[in-house]
Amino acid sequence: MKILVTGGLGFIGSHTVVELQNEGYDVVVIDNLANSSTQVLDGIEAISGKRPAFEELDLRDKSEVEDFFKRHSNLNGVIHFAASKAVGESVQDPLLYYENNLGVLTYMLQNLITTDRANFIFSSSCTVYGQADEMPITENAPVKAAESPYGNTKQVGEEIIKDTCKVNPQLNAIALRYFNPIGAHPSAEIGELPLGVPQNLVPYITQTGMGLREQLSVFGDDYPTEDGTCIRDYIHVVDLAKAHVVALQRLMDDKNEENFEVFNLGTGKGSSVLEVIASFERVSGEKLNYKIAARRAGDVVQAYADTSKANEVLGWTAVSTLDDALKSAWIWEQKIRS
Ligand code: WQD
């Protein structure tokens, strides 16, 4: 069975390629290396004993996408990670996001609907919920006006797929709404490689722990939560990767009830920023240098998943704890800086 993984050298993509290869799938990776490097192929091979086929392509070139699908007409499934994902950058450069996240998605789908049966997994995000009214968040929670072009591309991306599935029964798609992916493979052969100053909490924590950053700023401790800091659902990237394989197998085994389905992927547990810091200090034995700073625009107060649909329908449950994830992130950070 041959699977295309776009963005397969990125953080979540590379961990998913490992899990696919562990399950015996043949994988072909497309990546434009904008936010990754071919060294990740070495890490994937070191873990799973196989080096996936790799093509450096920019999917924004429609003819490149068409040519790829002509050369690979025997794909059994596609997992589409390739997209830009920095919230702040999307505000500054919306057209980059609409072209890279939606234009590319359109080209992919235009090719997939020409096949007899396409199995398509789409990388979506809990960001589509905005500040949900109720916790934990179920898949039926209303999709709210996006707070950023990035978030909008996830909402519109899902709509594009849903509309396409409606008139193309041969297209079978699952959108996976990630909560907050963190951590690294326990082998420390692959992990998160944020470019520049990390925007996300956990890589900023581990870089501060390594002394690459002077001090972590906690963006606000005056929120209406127990300790005043924001709450998120931090899910180990390996648990997240495994969910992609399970979702793909659901489509390949033709077990999906609808030809467009949505699943939340989280642990079902909310953790505050201060609790994440405490977890880091526990697993690293290091005291973290942080200060309380002003709130960050666009942050929601809390977001954690109701995971019952993925648990019951996919038969998938996240198994790693917050400490497991922080420990793997810390080991990875130490390795790449050694
Ligand atoms: C988590 C918490 C911050 C950094 C974003 C995207 C989401 C997904 C994951 C791509 C918040 C606080 C952070 C720091 C801090 N991205 N924080 N100091 O914002 O929940 O989600 O990344 O798919 O779509 O929106 O994650 O890690 O940026 O922030 O206090 O230096 O940590 O305020 O409460 P977020 P995050």
Side-chain angles (χ1 to χ4, degrees):
M1 296 285 205
K2 190 172 167 190
I3 308 299
L4 165 61
V5 179
T6 72
L9 298 189
F11 175 38
I12 305 167
S14 56
H15 287 80
T16 303
V17 171
V18 163
E19 297 308 324
L20 283 166
Q21 295 196 151
N22 288 348
E23 288 296 312
Y25 288 102
D26 289 323
V27 177
V28 53
V29 168
I30 291 177
D31 205 297
N32 66 1
L33 303 180
N35 196 9
S36 58
S37 92
T38 50
Q39 271 181 312
V40 175
L41 287 167
D42 302 336
I44 291 169
E45 186 175 12
I47 301 168
S48 61
K50 269 173 77 177
R51 196 176 186 84
F54 168 65
E55 296 196 25
E56 183 182 351
L57 294 179
D58 191 333
L59 296 169
R60 290 174 296 185
D61 181 335
K62 186 173 181 176
S63 61
E64 291 252 15
V65 178
E66 284 167 356
D67 175 55
F68 175 87
F69 278 98
K70 281 199 188 88
R71 286 185 284 109
H72 296 269
S73 56
N74 59 341
L75 291 170
N76 299 91
V78 177
I79 305 182
H80 183 49
F81 291 104
S84 302
K85 63 158 202 157
V87 173
E89 182 188 46
S90 77
V91 174
Q92 301 309 321
D93 190 351
L95 289 177
L96 167 72
Y97 277 67
Y98 290 118
E99 182 186 38
N100 199 31
N101 295 9
L102 298 180
V104 167
L105 172 63
T106 304
Y107 300 156
M108 299 285 293
L109 296 176
Q110 284 169 333
N111 285 276
L112 289 175
I113 60 172
T114 66
T115 61
D116 297 339
R117 176 174 175 117
N119 299 308
F120 184 68
I121 305 291
F122 178 66
S123 171
S124 189
S125 169
C126 65
T127 202
V128 303
Y129 298 115
Q131 177 54 73
D133 300 325
E134 282 174 42
M135 292 298 135
I137 303 172
T138 72
E139 286 83 354
N140 304 319
V143 169
K144 292 215 177 139
E147 307 255 342
S148 69
Y150 162 75
N152 202 28
T153 66
K154 292 304 179 184
Q155 288 182 9
V156 175
E158 289 190 12
E159 292 299 320
I160 289 172
I161 299 166
K162 191 159 68 173
D163 290 344
T164 307
C165 287
K166 271 190 199 127
V167 291
N168 293 281
Q170 74 277 27
L171 175 62
N172 292 268
I174 290 178
L176 297 174
R177 291 173 177 172
Y178 311 155
F179 279 69
N180 286 59
I182 62 168
H185 194 272
S187 67
E189 293 289 350
I190 54 174
E192 195 166 6
L193 285 165
L195 295 179
V197 178
Q199 299 306 305
N200 295 132
L201 178 65
V202 170
Y204 204 106
I205 286 177
T206 55
Q207 288 193 15
T208 303
M210 282 300 286
L212 271 75
R213 307 288 161 207
E214 183 57 37
Q215 183 179 52
L216 169 78
S217 294
V218 173
F219 296 142
D221 70 343
D222 56 351
Y223 285 97
T225 61
E226 206 171 306
D227 66 17
T229 63
C230 293
I231 291 170
R232 297 289 184 277
D233 185 332
Y234 296 97
I235 175 171
H236 196 299
V237 63
V238 173
D239 282 328
L240 193 65
K242 289 181 173 168
H244 287 75
V245 182
V246 171
L248 183 66
Q249 277 162 328
R250 175 178 171 81
L251 293 182
M252 292 169 64
D253 297 343
D254 201 5
K255 291 217 174 92
N256 49 313
E257 279 121 39
E258 309 284 331
N259 71 330
F260 178 69
E261 295 179 319
V262 176
F263 292 93
N264 284 343
L265 295 183
T267 65
K269 184 180 176 312
S271 300
S272 74
V273 176
L274 292 181
E275 285 171 329
V276 175
I277 292 171
S279 172
F280 170 77
E281 293 184 334
R282 250 190 323 271
V283 301
S284 67
E286 309 259 338
K287 195 92 190 72
L288 189 76
N289 180 10
Y290 71 91
K291 69 176 179 183
I292 303 299
R295 291 182 175 194
R296 178 173 69 173
D299 272 337
V300 296
V301 182
Q302 54 179 342
Y304 55 93
D306 177 319
T307 60
S308 50
K309 187 178 175 190
N311 302 155
E312 288 151 26
V313 176
L314 288 185
W316 166 90
T317 300
V319 295
S320 296
T321 64
L322 183 65
D323 281 14
D324 295 334
L326 264 293
K327 187 162 185 61
S328 67
W330 179 231
I331 291 168
W332 167 251
E333 187 71 61
Q334 290 174 295
K335 178 179 176 188
I336 56 175
R337 309 296 171 199
S338 60

